[in-house]
C-alpha cells in the first residue's frame, strides 16, 4: 500500500507540473493537533535546473476531533493574513478531493519556531514579556483587519453586530445539547446568565481567530512570534470573543493575573487596545470571558463524546475531557460565587 | 499484601513515562504514551475518591432540593423535585451512584433555573446555596497534574 509520503509526493507533482524528481522525506505526525491530523515533512524537487527544498506541514481532516470544522475556513483564514502584520505560514494547496489522501487536506510551509505547552509552567521563561507584547499586539491587528474583501469573509457568514453574541452562544449551547454525557449544572447556569445579560454590540464586526491562546503560536529562540496557528474556528464576530478566550484562566497555569503566562492582564489588554484602536467595554469583556468558559466547556464535552463513542481514540481527548472540563467548572463556579457576593 | 489499585496505577504510569516512552521511536507515539500515562494518573485519583465525591454530592443535592423545592410554584415541577429529594442511592457501585447523580443534577438544574426567576430573599438564599454547592463540587472533582 502506498505510504502517505508517496501519495503526497504524487499529489504535489500533480499540482506542480514544472517540478521534477519530487520527493517527500521525514514525514512525521505532530502531536497536539487534535482538530486535524498534522504532519511535518521535507519536500525536495528540481525546477528549471535548480534544486529546491522546503519544510512542509500537512493538515488532514481527522475521522473525529475536538472541533468539527471545515478545512476551507481554516485555509481562508491563513489566506487572509498572507504577507500581513499577522505572521502565518505560507499556503501551498487546499485539496478537497478525497482520492489523494482519503480525506481533505491542505499543505503549507513549516514556519520556524516552537509552540509552548499551554499547561507547562512558565513555558516562555525570560521571554514572556517580549512574546506577550507581540501576542496581544498581533491579536489587536487581527481585530482591526478590514473584513470586507478578505478570503475569510467569502467563506463565513457575517452576523449582525447586534446578534453576534447570540449566534455564537446558540452554536456552543447546541454542541453541549448534542454531546453532553452527563448533566452540566455549572455550564447551564452560566449559559442562562449569558442570555439574561447580553453584551452591548461590538464597536465593529471583526475577524475572530476563535482559538487565540498560548500554545497556538510559534516563537523562536530570539523571542519572536513567527506564526499564528490553528485558525479552524475562525469566524466573523465580536473581537472581544478572542480577548476573552486569550484571557481565560485555563491557559494561565497558577498565574491568572498573567494570562497565558505572558504579560500581566492590564498590560495585555492595553496592548491589544493600542494595536486594534478599539476600547474595551468592561461589561462586554466580562460577558466575553464567561462565554469563553462556556465555549471551552463545549469543546471539551464534544471531545469527550468523540472519545466515548469510539469515533476518535486520541488520548488527548480523554485528558481534555477530564482535566479541562473540571477546570472550567471550577473557574465558572468561583466566578459566579463572587458575582453573587458583589450583588447588592 | 498486594498493591492498592491507585498505587498500582501510579506505578504503571511511572513505568510508561520513565521506561516505555523513551524507547518509542516515533515522537508522535512517544507523546501518546506520555498522555496515556497522565490519563492513568488521573484514573488513580478518580478511583480513590469516586465513591466519596458521588455520595457527598448526592446527599448535598438532595438536601438542597428538600430545603428549596417549596419555592417552586408549579405543583408538578415541585413534586418532581421533592421526589428527587426523597430518592436514595440503591448501592455504592459507581454506576449506581453516577445514575443517581445524573438524575439529581437534572433536578438541580431545574431548581436553579426556577429560583433565578423568583424575586425575594428566600430565592436569593437558595441561589447562593446552589452556587456554594456547585463550587464545592467543582473543587472536589478538580483534576490536578503532579
Amino acid at each position: 500500500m502506498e505510504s502517505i509520503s508517496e501519495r503526497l509526493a504524487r499529489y504535489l507533482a500533480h499540482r506542480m507540473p514544472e517540478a521534477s524528481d519530487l520527493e517527500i522525506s521525514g514525514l512525521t505526525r505532530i502531536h497536539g493537533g487534535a482538530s486535524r491530523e498534522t504532519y511535518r515533512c521535507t519536500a525536495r524537487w528540481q525546477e528549471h535546473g535548480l534544486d529546491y527544498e522546503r519544510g512542509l506541514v500537512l493538515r488532514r481532516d481527522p475521522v473525529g476531533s475536538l472541533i468539527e470544522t471545515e478545512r476551507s475556513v481554516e485555509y481562508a483564514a491563513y489566506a487572509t493574513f498572507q504577507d500581513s502584520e499577522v505572521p502565518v505560514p505560507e499556503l501551498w494547496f487546499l485539496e478537497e478531493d478525497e482520492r489523494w489522501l482519503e480525506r481533505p487536506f491542505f499543505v503549507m510551509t513549516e514556519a520556524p519556531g516552537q509552540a509552548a505547552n499551554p499547561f507547562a509552567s512558565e513555558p516562555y521563561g525570560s521571554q514572556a514579556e517580549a512574546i506577550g507584547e507581540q501576542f496581544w499586539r498581533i491579536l489587536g491587528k487581527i481585530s482591526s483587519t478590514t473584513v470586507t474583501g478578505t478570503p475569510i469573509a467569502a467563506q463565513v457568514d457575517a452576523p449582525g453586530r447586534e446578534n453576534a453574541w447570540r449566534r455564537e452562544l446558540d452554536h456552543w449551547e447546541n454542541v453541549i445539547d448534542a454531546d453532553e454525557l452527563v448533566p452540566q449544572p455549572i455550564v447551564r447556569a452560566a449559559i442562562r446568565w449569558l442570555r439574561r445579560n447580553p453584551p452591548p454590540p461590538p464597536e465593529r464586526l471583526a475577524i475572530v481567530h476563535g482559538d487565540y491562546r498560548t500554545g497556538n503560536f510559534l516563537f523562536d529562540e530570539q523571542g519572536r512570534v513567527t506564526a499564528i496557528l490553528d485558525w479552524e474556528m475562525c469566524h466573523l464576530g465580536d473581537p472581544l470573543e478572542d480577548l476573552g478566550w486569550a484571557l481565560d484562566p485555563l491557559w494561565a497555569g497558577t498565574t491568572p493575573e498573567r494570562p497565558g503566562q505572558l504579560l500581566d492582564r492590564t498590560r495585555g489588554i492595553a496592548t491589544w487596545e493600542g494595536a486594534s484602536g478599539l476600547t474595551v467595554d468592561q461589561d462586554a469583556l466580562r460577558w466575553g470571558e464567561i462565554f469563553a468558559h462556556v465555549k471551552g466547556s463545549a469543546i471539551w464535552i464534544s471531545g469527550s463524546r468523540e472519545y466515548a463513542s469510539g469515533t476518535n481514540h486520541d488520548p488527548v481527548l480523554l485528558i481534555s475531557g477530564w482535566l479541562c472540563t473540571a477546570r472550567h467548572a471550577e473557574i465558572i463556579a468561583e466566578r459566579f460565587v463572587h458575582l453573587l457576593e458583589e450583588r447588592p | 499484601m498486594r498493591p492498592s489499585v491507585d498505587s498500582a496505577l501510579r506505578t504503571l504510569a511511572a513505568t510508561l513515562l520513565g521506561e516505555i516512552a523513551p524507547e518509542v521511536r516515533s515522537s508522535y507515539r512517544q507523546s501518546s504514551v506520555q498522555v496515556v500515562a497522565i490519563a492513568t494518573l488521573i484514573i488513580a485519583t478518580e478511583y480513590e475518591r469516586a465513591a466519596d465525591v458521588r455520595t457527598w454530592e448526592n446527599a448535598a443535592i438532595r438536601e438542597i432540593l428538600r430545603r428549596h423545592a417549596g419555592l417552586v410554584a408549579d405543583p408538578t415541577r415541585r413534586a418532581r423535585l421533592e421526589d428527587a429529594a426523597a430518592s436514595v442511592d440503591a448501592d455504592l457501585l459507581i454506576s449506581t451512584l453516577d445514575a443517581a447523580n445524573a438524575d439529581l443534577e437534572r433536578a438541580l438544574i431545574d431548581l436553579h433555573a426556577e429560583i433565578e426567576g423568583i424575586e425575594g430573599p428566600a430565592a436569593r438564599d437558595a441561589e447562593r446555596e446552589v452556587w456554594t454547592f456547585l463550587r464545592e463540587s467543582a473543587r472536589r472533582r478538580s483534576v490536578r497534574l503532579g
Side-chain angles (χ1 to χ4, degrees):
Chain A
M1 190 174 161
E2 207 177 15
S3 68
I4 295 178
S5 296
E6 291 165 333
R7 297 171 76 173
L8 179 60
R10 198 155 54 79
Y11 171 75
L12 292 176
H14 164 74
R15 293 298 300 262
M16 301 161 63
E18 302 290 313
S20 61
D21 298 328
L22 199 149
E23 287 180 358
I24 295 292
S25 62
L27 185 127
T28 52
R29 189 167 173 185
I30 306 170
H31 214 282
S35 56
R36 300 219 190 288
E37 287 179 10
T38 307
Y39 299 85
R40 165 191 293 141
C41 64
T42 301
R44 291 187 186 84
W45 71 97
Q46 287 195 327
E47 199 170 322
H48 305 304
L50 296 174
D51 293 326
Y52 289 91
E53 179 179 316
R54 290 284 188 282
L56 298 179
V57 167
L58 165 69
R59 296 268 281 167
R60 180 167 75 155
D61 279 18
V63 177
S65 78
L66 274 174
I67 311 157
E68 295 164 4
T69 54
E70 289 293 329
R71 91 287 318 167
S72 55
V73 169
E74 185 179 7
Y75 193 85
Y78 280 117
T80 297
F81 292 104
Q82 298 287 296
D83 302 316
S84 75
E85 290 180 273
V86 178
V88 291
E90 178 193 349
L91 286 176
W92 274 30
F93 305 115
L94 169 67
E95 185 54 62
E96 311 261 6
D97 189 337
E98 297 183 0
R99 75 185 154 120
W100 298 102
L101 290 177
E102 295 170 3
R103 279 165 262 145
F105 62 91
F106 65 87
V107 181
M108 55 190 181
T109 58
E110 183 180 15
Q114 58 172 324
N117 175 351
F119 301 114
S121 177
E122 299 298 343
Y124 304 105
S126 61
Q127 295 176 324
E129 287 220 357
I131 293 172
E133 195 278 331
Q134 296 167 77
F135 174 80
W136 292 108
R137 182 166 45 77
I138 291 168
L139 180 57
K141 294 298 177 191
I142 295 170
S143 302
S144 62
T145 297
T146 301
V147 172
T148 308
T150 58
I152 189 66
Q155 278 290 330
V156 297
D157 294 333
R161 284 194 307 128
E162 299 279 347
N163 287 321
W165 70 270
R166 185 179 290 111
R167 188 179 74 164
E168 289 305 305
L169 184 57
D170 287 350
H171 170 75
W172 290 110
E173 185 176 21
N174 287 339
V175 168
I176 295 170
D177 289 345
D179 290 346
E180 72 175 5
L181 297 168
V182 293
Q184 302 287 337
I186 293 175
V187 180
R188 295 293 182 182
I191 291 170
R192 292 194 303 273
W193 184 91
L194 290 168
R195 291 200 184 282
R196 287 197 308 272
N197 299 275
E203 279 182 60
R204 63 194 304 275
L205 202 64
I207 295 172
V208 177
H209 177 287
D211 195 9
Y212 196 88
R213 61 169 172 80
T214 177
N216 276 348
F217 63 84
L218 300 179
F219 63 100
D220 65 15
E221 290 178 359
Q222 286 73 48
R224 284 181 310 143
V225 173
T226 55
I228 305 297
L229 305 174
D230 294 309
W231 292 79
E232 55 265 52
M233 290 194 284
C234 187
H235 58 277
L236 305 182
D238 187 337
L240 293 189
E241 192 188 326
D242 268 340
L243 202 63
W245 186 248
L247 291 168
D248 198 298
L250 181 68
W251 318 121
T254 56
T255 60
E257 72 286 357
R258 202 154 51 82
Q261 302 184 80
L262 293 160
L263 288 186
D264 75 64
R265 178 184 168 95
T266 309
R267 273 186 65 195
I269 294 172
T271 304
W272 178 85
E273 286 183 319
S276 67
L278 299 168
T279 306
V280 168
D281 175 297
Q282 289 303 323
D283 285 341
L285 179 59
R286 182 174 64 176
W287 195 97
E289 288 187 81
I290 293 173
F291 170 73
H293 309 329
V294 169
K295 171 179 165 178
S297 301
I299 292 170
W300 320 131
I301 287 167
S302 187
S304 295
R305 164 71 67 176
E306 294 278 0
Y307 191 87
S309 68
T311 313
N312 187 334
H313 286 150
D314 187 339
V316 167
L317 298 180
L318 180 64
I319 296 282
S320 59
W322 282 338
L323 195 149
C324 300
T325 310
R327 181 72 186 117
H328 261 138
E330 263 190 292
I331 291 167
I332 295 170
E334 288 289 349
R335 190 158 201 144
F336 275 84
V337 168
H338 288 134
L339 274 176
L340 282 184
E341 286 168 357
E342 288 168 8
R343 197 157 62 184
Chain B
M1 180 187 169
R2 61 177 184 176
S4 67
V5 171
D6 64 325
S7 97
L9 287 169
R10 288 177 198 287
T11 305
L12 287 170
T15 303
L16 285 170
L17 284 171
E19 297 175 30
I20 296 175
E23 298 295 322
V24 176
R25 291 180 61 190
S26 152
S27 62
Y28 176 77
R29 295 292 171 207
Q30 189 178 68
S31 296
S32 291
V33 172
Q34 290 165 343
V35 174
V36 170
I38 292 167
T40 308
L41 287 172
I42 295 173
I43 292 167
T45 302
E46 190 59 22
Y47 173 85
E48 172 66 8
R49 71 184 184 186
D52 182 59
V53 166
R54 286 155 178 76
T55 52
W56 175 83
E57 276 187 5
N58 290 356
I61 297 173
R62 288 185 181 109
E63 179 63 14
I64 290 171
L65 296 173
R66 190 187 63 73
R67 284 162 53 83
H68 302 295
L71 288 167
V72 177
D74 180 86
T76 308
R77 290 208 294 273
R78 186 172 64 238
R80 203 167 58 233
L81 299 180
E82 288 167 346
D83 287 348
S87 66
V88 292
D89 296 331
D91 56 49
L92 295 179
L93 291 173
I94 297 302
S95 56
T96 304
L97 295 173
D98 271 342
N101 190 260
D103 288 343
L104 288 164
E105 291 207 322
R106 280 187 208 98
L108 184 68
I109 290 170
D110 290 345
L111 175 71
H112 198 176
E114 192 86 31
I115 59 180
E116 284 168 352
I118 300 173
E119 301 284 340
R124 295 293 71 75
D125 285 349
E127 196 179 358
R128 200 170 295 113
E129 202 174 313
V130 170
W131 271 116
T132 303
F133 159 76
L134 290 173
R135 179 174 65 177
E136 180 59 22
S137 164
R139 285 175 175 171
R140 288 180 183 231
R141 284 185 183 257
S142 75
V143 178
R144 295 278 187 270
L145 300 178

